[in-house]
Amino acid sequence: MSSAQGRRTRKVQESRAAMANAAVDLALTHGLDQVTVETISDRADVSRRTFSRYFTGKEDAVVDALRVDYARINTALAARPEGESPLTAYHRALRNWLDDEPTAWHRLPRSADLLRLLHEEPSLLPAYLRVQDEAKAASVAIVADRLGLDAERDLRPALAVSLAVGAFGTAVRFWIAPGENGGLPHLIDAAFAALADEPAPRITTAITTTTTTSTTTT
């Protein structure tokens, strides 16, 4: 990539981040109902036309910061050593993100507020699910490549990612819940430890006893 291309890419990323940050700030301060595309554009100092090049609506802008975070997690996942199992690799990718990324969720108070808002505002759910689905599909592709499997024909990569994402999501739900539930890194570690410690299901064999009653005719 040339230096000119690099500058254009950075400018695009900076413009998108400015609009996403403006959307989150406004939604958390005033409530999503009071936020419009115009107010986001004004806050980010861009035109409505520029906003529309990046986002289909205010909901997409509000959840865009999470898209960036999931991309960072997947970058860390792709960099994990080949010998690690999918669950271990995903867990350690999360820890790399938590430990090394200055904008990881537990370092920014507004991240928890944003995640709570996603659960309180039904109109945000479709945009959030699209972000999650895209990130999950990318994770499946990474895991399939690590295992040398075809993700379209073998269910193991998708299953491993579903378990990992489920552990991550459960930890996040406990983290944003009222009360003192522990820090996000601790909860993520606990969730993955619980997966590792899950006992195999006990198989019970049903025994059917048939009693034959003999009738003697005299």
Side-chain angles (χ1 to χ4, degrees):
M1 180 184 294
S2 68
S3 59
Q5 289 175 320
R7 284 194 298 271
R8 284 195 294 271
T9 298
R10 285 194 299 274
K11 186 174 181 179
V12 166
Q13 292 172 340
E14 289 168 359
S15 295
R16 183 170 188 140
M19 288 181 279
N21 287 331
V24 172
D25 288 341
L26 289 167
L28 293 179
T29 302
H30 303 291
L32 186 65
D33 290 344
Q34 302 302 314
V35 178
T36 65
V37 170
E38 287 74 17
T39 58
I40 296 171
S41 301
D42 289 344
R43 173 69 70 89
D45 195 24
V46 299
S47 67
R48 168 67 186 268
R49 184 177 179 180
T50 297
F51 179 93
S52 298
R53 285 206 299 265
Y54 293 88
F55 306 111
T56 59
K58 62 183 181 181
E59 293 82 6
D60 286 331
V62 169
V63 304
D64 195 65
L66 302 180
R67 178 192 61 81
V68 175
D69 289 324
Y70 287 133
R72 289 176 176 135
I73 293 166
N74 275 330
T75 297
L77 176 62
R80 294 304 309 169
E82 292 182 2
E84 291 178 347
S85 70
L87 285 179
T88 297
Y90 198 97
H91 178 200
R92 291 180 178 168
L94 286 173
R95 287 309 309 250
N96 289 153
W97 169 64
L98 291 168
D99 295 342
D100 302 336
E101 178 54 52
T103 61
W105 295 347
H106 65 304
R107 300 181 190 277
L108 299 178
R110 80 169 193 170
S111 294
D113 295 332
L114 172 58
L115 291 164
R116 293 187 190 99
L117 183 66
L118 294 175
H119 290 82
E120 295 167 1
E121 289 284 356
S123 61
L124 287 173
L125 185 60
Y128 182 44
L129 290 178
R130 283 195 298 273
V131 168
Q132 279 193 319
D133 288 346
E134 290 172 4
K136 191 173 179 179
S139 297
V140 171
I142 292 168
V143 169
D145 184 64
R146 288 170 58 86
L147 297 176
L149 299 174
D150 182 349
E152 297 297 324
R153 296 178 178 275
D154 195 309
L155 59 78
R156 284 174 289 179
L159 179 59
V161 170
S162 293
L163 289 171
V165 170
F168 181 27
T170 300
V172 170
R173 285 194 295 275
F174 272 78
W175 179 56
I176 65 175
E180 295 293 331
N181 297 317
L184 183 57
H186 166 75
L187 289 168
I188 287 174
D189 289 347
F192 278 88
L195 275 183
D197 292 342
E198 178 68 19
R202 188 173 65 181
I203 300 175
T204 58
T205 303
I207 300 175
T208 303
T209 304
T210 304
T211 304
T212 304
T213 304
S214 299
T215 303
T216 304
T217 304
T218 56

